[in-house]
Amino acid sequence: RESERMAQQRLEEKLVAHERRASENLAQLESSTESWKEIIEQRCRAVEHRVWEQQADRSDHAEGILKRVAEAAPVLAIQEDVKAQSYAMEVQQRRIAAVV
């Protein structure tokens, strides 16, 4: 009887020790998981910031290119031709309307 009780007591002590270690390991795991989450969030924010900066630079470049293209001599010449053709067409339409 006494040996059974002592064996039971040792088993309970081992169980308590294992539960304590499991609890400590779980706390450590949760802590390291939080640390990793924070690190990943910081990295994501840094990447997002860089992407936004690059996007802003690209849109600035695109606007500059479009502005230069619009000011280019061949484009201006084509625009003048289109305006002249539009005016000529308008004059022709007026003449036709006056005849009819």
Side-chain angles (χ1 to χ4, degrees), residues 9 19 28 34 40-41 44-45 58-59 61 64 77-78 88:
Q9 186 177 359
E19 286 176 346
Q28 184 180 12
E34 275 303 310
I40 289 173
E41 286 174 4
C44 286
R45 281 192 297 271
R58 287 183 184 151
S59 67
H61 290 305
I78 291 170

Side-chain angles (χ1 to χ4, degrees), residues 15-78:
L15 181 61
V16 167
H18 284 294
E19 286 176 346
R20 185 175 25 85
R21 273 187 269 162
S23 177
E24 290 170 356
N25 287 339
L26 181 60
Q28 184 180 12
L29 179 63
E30 288 173 350
S31 173
S32 66
T33 300
E34 275 303 310
S35 296
W36 275 105
K37 277 185 186 178
E38 290 174 18
I39 290 169
I40 289 173
E41 286 174 4
Q42 288 173 354
R43 289 181 181 177
C44 286
R45 281 192 297 271
V47 167
E48 183 180 21
H49 181 72
R50 277 187 265 160
V51 167
W52 279 109
E53 283 179 347
Q54 290 173 355
Q55 197 66 20
D57 289 345
R58 287 183 184 151
S59 67
D60 290 346
H61 290 305
E63 287 175 19
I65 290 170
L66 290 175
K67 188 174 181 181
R68 287 185 201 149
V69 166
E71 295 170 352
V75 173
L76 292 175
I78 291 170

